[in-house]
């Protein structure tokens, strides 16, 4: 037995409805539309890159070194402020942080106001297609940093964390060592750095260093990555969009 068809009923305002009812109804719709549009614009602006067009570190006075424990320090020797930045190469929120504040940080580094100590972690290895992508990316980062080319390191770090290059969690593929080496070359890194990435000679040390960074993160009070820590205090990088300017 087929379902009984119900004739659609067109709603028509009753004759007793007052003119003010329509006016207030129209105003309500306008308010709702304004809120929706405002929300869309807020979301768009909240993800907009600050200092767009600056790019990566450019100042020849900026230095890059690999510290004991594997952290990479990028900045001028006399930088007024040092922050610790914890990231995993596959972490999408880390990518968002780099997209929004990376260029702003680069200028602060060039100006000597801030130095950044990058702690690259690898807890998302298990969510990569290869099973060890984060560790290999950490190793690649160290391979570039150990050459002492701060400009190339900054460019490579930006490329590594970009939406175009960051593999998806539980994705079907990620980057091979050869892919990472080419990414480093494109960033201006030396043949020495590219060879280090391709042959995987830094991977085992990177695995140890990434775990040390993870353990250090657990002592900061941060709940995950990305985490920015300054003088023992975790900075609210997503709630306060002016946090870079407020560093000094």
């Amino acid at each position: 037995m087929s379902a009984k068809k119900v004739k659609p009923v067109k709603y028509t305002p009753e004759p007793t409805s007052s003119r003010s009812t329509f006016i207030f109804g129209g105003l309500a719709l306008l308010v709702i539309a304004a809120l929706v549009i405002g929300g869309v614009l807020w979301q768009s602006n909240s993800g907009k890159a600050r200092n767009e067009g600056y790019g990566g570190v450019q100042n020849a006075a900026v230095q890059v070194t690999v510290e004991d424990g594997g952290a990479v320090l990028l900045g001028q020797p006399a930088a007024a402020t040092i922050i610790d930045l914890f990231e995993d190469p596959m972490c999408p929120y880390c990518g968002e942080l780099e997209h929004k504040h990376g260029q702003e940080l680069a200028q602060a580094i060039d100006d000597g106001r801030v130095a950044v100590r990058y702690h690259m972690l690898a807890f998302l290895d298990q969510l990569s297609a290869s099973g060890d992508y984060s560790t290999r990316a950490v190793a690649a980062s160290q391979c570039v940093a150990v050459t002492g080319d701060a400009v190339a390191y900054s460019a490579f770090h930006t490329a590594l964390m970009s939406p175009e290059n960051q593999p998806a969690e539980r994705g079907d593929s990620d980057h091979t060592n050869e892919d990472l080496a080419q990414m480093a070359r494109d960033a201006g890194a030396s043949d020495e750095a590219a060879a280090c990435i391709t042959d995987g000679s830094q991977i085992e040390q990177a695995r140890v260093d990434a775990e040390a960074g993870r353990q250090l993160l657990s002592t900061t009070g941060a709940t995950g990555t990305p985490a920015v820590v300054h003088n023992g205090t975790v900075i609210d990088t997503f709630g306060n969009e002016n946090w870079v300017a407020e560093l000094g």
Side-chain angles (χ1 to χ4, degrees):
M1 181 177 179
S2 61
K4 182 180 179 181
K5 294 184 179 180
V6 178
K7 183 178 180 180
V9 178
K10 180 179 179 182
Y11 170 73
T12 304
E14 295 296 329
T16 55
S17 298
S18 66
R19 182 180 179 185
S20 61
T21 300
F22 294 106
I23 293 175
F24 287 128
L27 288 175
L29 289 174
L30 287 174
V31 169
I32 292 171
L35 289 173
V36 170
I37 294 171
V40 171
L41 290 175
W42 180 85
Q43 288 185 332
S44 176
N45 289 332
S46 67
K48 185 178 180 180
R50 294 171 66 90
N51 208 21
E52 181 68 66
Y54 187 84
V57 166
Q58 305 163 27
N59 191 340
V62 175
Q63 300 179 10
V64 62
T65 56
V66 180
E67 299 184 328
D68 292 341
V72 174
L73 181 63
L74 181 68
Q76 295 192 40
T81 300
I82 298 178
I83 61 173
D84 290 272
L85 175 54
F86 296 83
E87 299 175 312
D88 186 299
M90 278 190 63
C91 164
Y93 296 107
C94 300
E96 288 181 19
L97 180 72
E98 290 291 344
H99 170 72
K100 183 168 183 178
H101 295 287
Q103 297 180 79
E104 189 178 19
L105 268 176
Q107 183 167 10
I109 293 169
D110 277 343
D111 293 344
R113 295 189 292 111
V114 176
V116 180
R117 183 179 289 114
Y118 291 96
H119 302 267
M120 301 300 288
L121 313 184
F123 64 91
L124 291 176
D125 267 344
Q126 59 186 336
L127 299 184
S128 67
S130 62
D132 64 353
Y133 173 74
S134 290
T135 295
R136 292 187 293 105
V138 173
S141 176
Q142 292 179 342
C143 284
V144 176
V146 78
T147 66
D149 189 334
V151 174
Y153 176 81
S154 177
F156 178 68
H157 183 79
T158 298
L160 196 66
M161 305 301 292
S162 69
E164 295 78 16
N165 293 320
Q166 195 176 49
E169 296 177 358
R170 297 185 176 89
D172 296 330
S173 64
D174 53 43
H175 300 297
T176 65
N177 287 349
E178 289 73 18
D179 295 335
L180 290 169
Q182 187 57 54
M183 198 184 303
R185 292 189 192 94
D186 292 343
S190 65
D191 291 340
E192 175 188 357
C196 172
I197 297 171
T198 301
D199 64 27
S201 59
Q202 189 64 25
I203 290 177
E204 288 308 313
Q205 185 60 50
R207 182 171 286 111
V208 173
D209 294 338
E211 174 57 21
R214 187 193 66 78
Q215 293 182 17
L216 179 60
L217 174 64
S218 69
T219 69
T220 66
T223 57
T225 58
V228 176
V229 182
H230 176 228
N231 288 340
T233 300
V234 179
I235 297 175
D236 183 7
T237 56
F238 287 101
N240 177 15
E241 65 176 13
N242 297 312
W243 65 272
V244 175
E246 293 174 1
L247 287 172

